């Protein structure tokens, strides 16, 4: 919501808290077939995209989320050639994935074309790799996409969605994870944004359990800061069939691209779990 004094506020009613960002101007508002999208120009965070009242990306801090949803999984996989991004309509994850020269094909499957069209207009930097010949942008339901896809047809699936309500709800259940597992090749890895370790521990626990009951044998959560999301502390959860503790550390150390948060040491550190987390998920 936009207050009279030009601060955008997202309230977290279940957590008795809120986040406010000082706004210069509201640039756009649109109700698509799926959700309401708003674009603001802010005093300090550059542009801000909001979906159904929830902060999604700002120019200033999106690198944290996008780098951590992509580079750790790409360096954990031994040889990632094909990547699907479910959601991710702002194209920030796609841009990071395409920094990896070994990736031959990256398909972004976003249900709401409106998100991508507005990102192209207001977040051109995030969309700067959309014309890469390896990229394919589809505007269809990601749940249907994985249902229809062939067995063992992809190396990495990145689920870059909104909170687990509304259009994204069906991306957090066993049926979806089973389909992902079926589509993944033997070394395949799924990584999904998994909300705040401080606010949404129940969700993270249930994701680990549900991924396991879908047939994944290993699951691991990584942590990173994200100022504009609830509590300022965020996570991604990986699921695979093999060992997720090792990564291509040499390659990460010599990565052939620039990053602002990710490096090999951050990769290692991001998987170190706080005590309360270890106790909840031994
Ligand atoms: N996806 C995670 C957004 C969750 C934010 N939740 C909230 N503000 N309540 C972000 C998409 C970036 N590509």
């Amino acid at each position: 919501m936009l207050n009279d004094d030009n601060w955008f506020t997202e309230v977290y009613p279940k957590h008795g808290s809120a986040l406010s960002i000082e706004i210069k101007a509201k640039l756009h508002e649109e109700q698509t077939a799926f959700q309401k999208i708003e674009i603001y120009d802010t005093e300090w965070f550059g542009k801000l995209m909001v979906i159904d009242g929830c902060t999604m990306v700002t120019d200033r801090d999106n690198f944290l989320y996008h780098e951590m949803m992509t580079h750790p999984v790409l360096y954990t996989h031994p040889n990632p050639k094909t990547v699907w991004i479910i959601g991710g309509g702002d194209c920030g994850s796609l841009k990071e994935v395409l920094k990896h020269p070994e990736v031959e094909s990256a398909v972004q499957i976003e249900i709401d074309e409106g998100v991508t069209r507005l990102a192209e207009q207001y977040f051109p930097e995030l969309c700067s790799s959309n014309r890469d010949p390896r990229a394919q942008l589809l505007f269809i339901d990601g749940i249907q996409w994985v249902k229809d896809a062939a067995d063992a047809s992809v190396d990495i699936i990145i689920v870059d969605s909104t909170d687990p309500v509304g259009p994204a709800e069906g991306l957090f259940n066993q049926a979806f994870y089973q389909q992902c597992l079926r589509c993944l090749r033997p070394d395949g890895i799924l990584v999904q944004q998994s909300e705040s370790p401080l606010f949404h521990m129940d969700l993270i626990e249930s994701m680990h359990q549900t991924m396991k009951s879908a047939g994944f044998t290993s699951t691991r959560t990584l942590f990173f800061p994200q100022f504009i999301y609830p509590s300022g502390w965020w996570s991604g959860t990986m699921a695979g069939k093999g060992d997720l503790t090792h990564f291509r550390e040499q390659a990460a150390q010599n990565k052939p691209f620039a990053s602002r948060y990710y490096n090999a040491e951050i990769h290692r550190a991001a998987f170190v779990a706080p005590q309360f987390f270890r106790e909840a998920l031994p």
Side-chain angles (χ1 to χ4, degrees), residues 37-191:
I37 312 176
E38 294 164 87
I39 309 283
Y40 294 94
D41 193 12
T42 75
E43 286 292 346
W44 213 69
F45 281 85
K47 306 274 193 312
L48 160 70
M49 182 188 283
V50 173
I51 294 185
D52 285 343
C54 296
T55 57
M56 286 296 129
V57 281
T58 72
D59 282 320
R60 192 174 187 114
D61 78 345
N62 81 82
F63 68 97
L64 294 157
Y65 177 96
H66 288 134
E67 290 183 16
M68 293 308 280
M69 285 297 292
T70 54
H71 305 312
V73 71
L74 277 142
Y75 280 124
T76 299
H77 193 286
N79 187 18
K81 291 200 181 314
T82 55
V83 179
W84 298 343
I85 299 158
I86 310 283
D90 54 59
C91 306
S93 294
L94 180 66
K95 179 185 151 197
E96 295 303 320
V97 165
L98 290 168
K99 287 181 178 175
H100 292 252
E102 65 274 28
V103 169
E104 292 169 359
S105 148
V107 188
Q108 178 185 289
I109 306 108
E110 163 63 52
I111 198 166
D112 189 351
E113 185 167 358
V115 177
T116 302
R117 297 300 162 231
L118 290 173
E120 286 168 341
Q121 194 175 344
Y122 294 104
F123 295 88
E125 217 181 285
L126 296 185
C127 297
S128 56
S129 297
N130 288 7
R131 292 210 166 77
D132 186 307
R134 299 171 295 161
Q136 200 185 344
L137 275 67
L138 303 176
F139 301 106
I140 51 171
D141 181 5
I143 299 170
Q144 195 60 42
W145 167 268
V146 293
K147 262 192 211 155
D148 294 344
D151 293 2
S153 52
V154 69
D155 295 317
I156 290 176
I157 303 176
I158 297 170
V159 184
D160 176 6
S161 74
T162 50
D163 296 338
V165 285
E169 203 178 336
L171 300 171
F172 289 80
N173 62 39
Q174 189 173 326
F176 176 70
Y177 297 148
Q178 271 165 346
Q179 291 297 340
C180 290
L181 183 61
R182 185 185 60 73
C183 293
L184 285 167
R185 296 202 179 101
D187 288 321
I189 309 173
L190 166 72
V191 65

